[in-house]
Amino acid sequence: GAGPSLSPPDNAMEGGAQQSSLQEPPGPGGAEQEGVPGERDGGEGPPELKRSQPLFIHSSSRQLPEEEPRASSLPSIPNPFPELCSPSNSPILSSPALGQGPPREGASHVVKVFGEDGACRSLEASAGTTARQLCETLVRRTRALQDHSWALVELHQHLALERCLEDHESVVEVQSSWPPGADSRFVFRKNFAKYELFKSNASLFPEVMVSSCLEANKSMAHSELIQNFLNSGSCPEVQGFLQLREAGRKVWKRFYFSLRRSGLYYSTKGTSKDPRHLQYFADLTESNIYYVTQGKKLYGTPTEFGFCIKPHKVRSGVKGLKLLCSEDEQSRSCWMAAFRLFKVG
């Protein structure tokens, strides 16, 4: 169905317990707990909000010591010495360890967010805190000019993958999916293309890539057809050539892909759309889609316009990643926009 959660007003996700869960814990002394020496906040916060982030986390969240045994690699064996778990253990690792199941509502989690200058801020969040709410808090904390282009970007540096979180996504849930010890992080930066999809942008879907939809609706102009899809929150059928990386090898082959309501397919015989020739490729509802930033270096991509379908069950490493490459930026933008519509609608 249509997704107000993505559009700029985004009233549906603001308010109620979720809103307060993000804004209350930091309090007036919020800047103090970030451990940023340059910021002064009058020291009005509660006395336990010291500059030492690990101590703050463990003292404010009573659930963590009870849950820590689960963080070990052998979750069935309880930890007999919880007091030996050093507070120097990175909070960004102990918090995700809770996420073997969904993060517990009401528990306090610490989320670290990096600026483009490399400065790191720690914010307290609950399981219900959305990416949009965290962005709004960061805008206030950094005294940045408020506009809708601020975004929270998930970065997997070792894999050269990045994606912009959708407004409604739970930040704690995303963080909990990272493997312990991985160099994954959140970055707070502007993404001017964030809402382009919702500005009647027929140019995002070139006619050649939605030709089957145009054939099925011959009386409708291209721009009108795309607007109808956007209004209904559904995704047009997109097709086109993409290069596909063979599993485990830096070998790329060109296939004709089709995005249908049931998922993403490629043809084993040229541009044939005969069901006998369509090979099911990916379940987008159970995956996230990332831009590949250093494709040639890491994966030997034939062009600079790589992207990746990363199934939720793939927690770490390259194995299981579905790596694709477009001929140009317009083609990649079309596929990425289509995947967004398909997933979130």
Side-chain angles (χ1 to χ4, degrees), residues 11 21 109 131 142 149 161 184 195 245 252 315 328:
N11 294 326
S21 65
H109 303 263
T142 57
S149 59
L161 302 181
S184 304
Y195 296 116
R245 183 179 188 250
W252 292 78
R315 281 176 66 83
D328 52 40

Side-chain angles (χ1 to χ4, degrees), residues 237 256 258 260 262 264-281:
E237 188 176 309
Y256 193 73
S258 297
R260 303 190 163 198
S262 51
L264 184 63
Y265 297 81
Y266 66 89
S267 176
T268 56
K269 188 175 181 183
T271 59
S272 168
K273 293 180 191 173
D274 187 313
R276 291 174 302 170
H277 303 140
L278 289 183
Q279 177 72 44
Y280 186 72
F281 181 67

